[in-house]
Amino acid sequence: MPLPPAPTKRAALLSPDALDAPARSPSKVARKTESAESAQKPPVMDLFDSRAAGEGSHPSAFQGKEAAHPGKPASGSYKKESIALPQPTAKPKKAKRTGPAKLFVLDTNVLMHDPMCLFRFEEHDIFLPMIVLEELDGHKKGMTEVARNARQTSRTLDALAGAQGADIAKGLKLDTTGHPEAGGCLFFQTKPLDYTLPMSLPQGKADNQILGVVEALRKEYAPREVVLVSKDINMRVKARALGLATDDYQNDKTLEDGDLLYSGSLALPADFWTRQSKTIESWQQGSHTFYRITGPIVGSLLINQFVFFEAPGEPPLYARVTEIRAKTAVLKTLKDYNHLKNAVWGVTTRNREQNFAMNLLMDPEVDFVTLAGTAGTGKTLMALASGLTQVLDDRRYTEIIMTRATVSVGEDIGFLPGTEEEKMGPWMGALDDNLEVLGKTDSGSGEWGRAATNELIRSRIKVKSMNFMRGRTFLNKYVIIDEAQNLTPKQMKTLITRAGPGTKIICMGNLAQIDTPYLTEGSSGMTFAVDRFKGWPHGGHITLARGERSRLADFASEVL
């Protein structure tokens, strides 16, 4: 049977008697029929006859094969190829769910804690009771962080409700405002819900009304899982007592466990030199020695991570990772600040981790340093000593700017008098204590010399409040952020983004001394910064382990 002549119109307009094949574009049809007409072989016709007329996929895998195999007889190999070669539909990126999407009922405190929480629940749906909107309206006034978050949440809800084609009765699509990761819908309470709560729970309280909404939704949408999400621990306890599914809002937590925090240092295995003896390369550059290593340990290293090797009877190695390429890493030996000849403003380090920290603080290529450690590990003293050396001696920075989170340990004592710097004075007791230590390091200048030095130091240190940091840009400044564990991730971002050209930022804190309400070790801004900056070539972190303040302070940190 000869093939039909080349069509002059679209393939869909050919008569079924001429060719019973799926419709395709004119260019492909013309090219296909021309090659088939030049070959004039029956196997191609068998191929088209074997395909059902209603199939939606085109035999694109065979374009050009008719001319390549003009004499090959019709066989099952052609049919197998026609099934195997066409590409299947795109594979879904996420695993298929085994059940229906969950329905999350959000408490007001979740919306005021994170205004973007509506887009953090992936494919699941969200339900907002009417009392939640009432509470949002009551908290929107003021300049506090909670009021700003309430206003941002209200604007987000307004944008979702005002999107084209939005229907509150059917649910608002959460991906209509540019958040494709949110695949669910947002539902509002548009009608009274029938529920009964125990008489011991006051009916007029907002928390109990939300619990009643969860109870009604659980009955209405059974067997679909309805979960209450709240930051209020007592709210979650009451929900569990009523048999309701509940959970904390987990998206704000950078780490689940504080022990998983990146420490910044790594101990090399005991057989490190034995394994590297045949492949290691070393060279000298100035006062530093470089080592290029290979092996499985490279996969666990990060840029600016410190490594150390200590074994009895062998010389120790203290180095920093400066380069990682494929399966090789380059280690650079450190400057020994334990030695008196390398003292920084008269201060020498007393242990391994302090030496690591001082190498980061004195490196001009490192723009962001985080120091974590318990009380008395020398964080503030080292940061101030290195800052004074680089401001007054090296002239690398113009001045030191110091700030901290003004969160009191006990009850607030009220407003403080004076200027901004005078108001920050009581919060900067650590600055005064460490400046007193640094002022005594120059013993040969006499009392008048020390007084002049202290006056010069004071003129180069500015104490600023975080409340007025918005919109500022620091040029060639050495910025110290003390008590950074009390900052939220948003506050930490605000401070770090103030850095202009030539500015270095030092964040110091003790994650075991968080005084800010609702902040934990996993959700602290300092944890957030350490986790996000690890591996960045111009950032470094070290966790200081040993306290050097006094034997009393060390013992108290361990046993109290």
Side-chain angles (χ1 to χ4, degrees):
M1 173 183 174
L3 287 176
T8 57
K9 299 182 181 180
R10 294 185 60 86
L13 300 179
L14 290 175
S15 62
D17 298 331
L19 182 63
D20 187 12
R24 63 184 75 178
S25 62
S27 59
K28 291 185 178 180
V29 171
R31 188 166 57 251
K32 185 74 100 164
T33 50
E34 285 172 5
S35 60
E37 193 175 19
S38 62
Q40 291 292 325
K41 295 294 179 181
V44 181
M45 191 60 209
D46 294 339
L47 167 68
F48 287 117
D49 289 339
S50 64
R51 298 182 59 88
E55 280 185 308
S57 59
H58 305 306
S60 56
F62 287 85
Q63 293 175 9
K65 287 202 173 193
E66 297 85 350
H69 304 282
K72 195 167 184 178
S75 63
S77 61
Y78 273 89
K79 294 185 179 181
K80 287 181 181 179
E81 202 174 12
S82 65
I83 297 175
L85 279 180
Q87 295 296 326
T89 56
K91 295 182 180 179
K93 294 181 180 180
K94 297 181 181 179
K96 293 183 179 180
R97 301 194 310 269
T98 56
K102 298 179 182 179
L103 181 63
F104 287 103
V105 181
L106 300 190
D107 195 0
T108 314
N109 49 45
V110 178
L111 296 169
M112 293 189 297
H113 178 76
D114 181 9
M116 303 301 294
C117 66
L118 295 171
F119 310 106
R120 311 291 193 202
F121 291 89
E122 298 180 346
E123 74 274 7
H124 303 288
D125 295 332
I126 297 174
F127 188 93
L128 292 183
M130 193 58 65
I131 189 63
V132 169
L133 300 179
E134 288 290 333
E135 287 193 303
L136 275 179
D137 189 62
H139 287 88
K140 69 182 181 181
K141 296 180 181 179
M143 297 301 296
T144 63
E145 187 75 14
V146 171
R148 280 193 288 267
N149 290 345
R151 292 193 293 269
Q152 179 62 38
T153 302
S154 299
R155 287 191 289 267
T156 303
L157 295 177
D158 182 62
L160 289 171
Q164 186 176 4
D167 187 356
I168 290 183
K170 298 180 180 178
L172 305 177
K173 289 287 186 180
L174 290 170
D175 57 359
T176 55
T177 56
H179 296 84
E181 69 277 4
C185 294
L186 173 63
F187 296 93
F188 292 95
Q189 181 183 352
T190 57
K191 61 180 179 179
L193 296 175
D194 184 20
Y195 59 86
T196 56
L197 291 176
M199 296 300 297
S200 57
L201 294 177
Q203 301 297 317
K205 192 174 180 181
D207 287 359
N208 298 333
Q209 293 185 43
I210 295 175
L211 291 174
V213 170
V214 177
E215 172 68 22
L217 293 176
R218 187 184 68 165
K219 295 178 180 178
E220 181 178 349
Y221 289 97
R224 187 182 187 184
E225 187 174 1
V226 179
V227 183
L228 170 66
V229 181
S230 175
K231 298 290 294 181
D232 188 349
I233 297 176
N234 294 329
M235 178 85 157
R236 298 200 300 269
V237 171
K238 288 195 291 186
R240 292 189 180 98
L242 295 174
L244 303 176
T246 182
D247 199 0
D248 189 9
Y249 180 64
Q250 304 285 348
N251 193 268
D252 63 324
K253 295 182 179 179
T254 306
L255 298 175
E256 292 295 332
D257 190 350
D259 294 334
L260 299 176
L261 182 67
Y262 171 61
S263 66
S265 61
L266 177 69
L268 297 174
D271 59 346
F272 173 72
W273 292 117
T274 306
R275 290 188 176 185
Q276 297 289 334
S277 59
K278 295 183 179 180
T279 59
I280 194 169
E281 301 177 33
S282 64
W283 64 93
Q284 194 83 14
Q285 186 175 335
S287 60
H288 299 282
T289 305
F290 292 81
Y291 299 93
R292 179 174 280 110
I293 63 173
T294 58
I297 193 173
V298 175
S300 60
L301 297 178
L302 294 170
I303 297 291
N304 282 341
Q305 184 177 15
F306 292 93
V307 295
F308 60 92
F309 177 82
E310 295 176 338
E314 296 189 32
L317 170 68
Y318 304 104
R320 186 172 67 177
V321 181
T322 58
E323 180 183 316
I324 297 177
R325 289 187 179 181
K327 298 181 180 180
T328 64
V330 176
L331 307 181
K332 177 185 177 181
T333 57
L334 306 178
K335 189 174 182 178
D336 185 14
Y337 289 99
N338 292 331
H339 201 282
L340 191 60
K341 68 177 182 179
N342 294 326
V344 178
W345 202 263
V347 174
T348 58
T349 57
R350 297 185 179 181
N351 56 54
R352 181 181 61 221
E353 283 76 18
Q354 283 188 352
N355 189 36
F356 293 165
M358 194 62 82
N359 274 272
L360 288 175
L361 293 171
M362 295 298 293
D363 189 348
E365 293 298 320
V366 178
D367 300 332
F368 182 72
V369 179
T370 48
L371 302 177
T374 58
T377 50
K379 302 184 294 294
T380 309
L381 182 65
M382 288 191 298
L384 274 176
S386 62
L388 290 173
T389 299
Q390 295 176 88
V391 169
L392 296 175
D393 294 346
D394 302 339
R395 305 295 177 91
R396 189 173 294 153
Y397 309 102
T398 57
E399 63 181 1
I400 297 175
I401 294 179
M402 194 164 184
T403 185
R404 60 163 289 174
T406 53
V407 181
S408 58
V409 178
E411 293 185 6
D412 197 353
I413 62 173
F415 291 101
L416 298 172
T419 62
E420 177 189 357
E421 194 149 344
E422 291 172 344
K423 290 177 185 292
M424 291 296 296
W427 298 102
M428 289 299 173
L431 172 63
D432 298 330
D433 298 340
N434 286 279
L435 286 181
E436 184 179 351
V437 174
L438 294 172
K440 293 180 179 179
T441 55
D442 188 9
S443 58
S445 59
E447 185 176 348
W448 286 101
R450 286 197 297 270
T453 302
N454 289 336
E455 191 66 27
L456 177 62
I457 290 173
R458 291 285 182 179
S459 67
R460 293 301 182 93
I461 297 179
K462 298 292 189 298
V463 179
K464 300 296 182 182
S465 172
M466 289 197 315
N467 299 344
F468 311 107
M469 289 293 185
R470 182 79 72 182
R472 294 197 61 183
T473 301
F474 297 129
L475 301 176
N476 295 319
K477 300 292 192 296
Y478 187 92
V479 183
I480 299 176
I481 304 173
D482 201 5
E483 303 296 335
Q485 77 276 1
N486 288 320
L487 300 176
T488 65
K490 186 175 181 180
Q491 290 171 331
M492 181 65 77
K493 178 182 178 181
T494 300
L495 290 177
I496 297 175
T497 52
R498 300 306 99 209
T503 293
K504 184 166 189 166
I505 295 183
I506 316 298
C507 288
M508 307 177 299
N510 179 13
L511 290 172
Q513 295 180 346
I514 295 179
D515 302 314
T516 304
Y518 311 116
L519 270 189
T520 62
E521 293 183 9
S523 59
S524 169
M526 184 171 182
T527 306
F528 178 74
V530 171
D531 187 68
R532 292 296 191 271
F533 277 91
K534 65 181 180 183
W536 187 50
H538 302 287
H541 168 75
I542 193 67
T543 300
L544 301 169
R546 282 177 50 192
E548 301 290 350
R549 179 171 290 168
S550 67
R551 58 190 178 189
L552 173 60
D554 296 345
F555 185 71
S557 297
E558 294 176 5
V559 301
L560 295 182

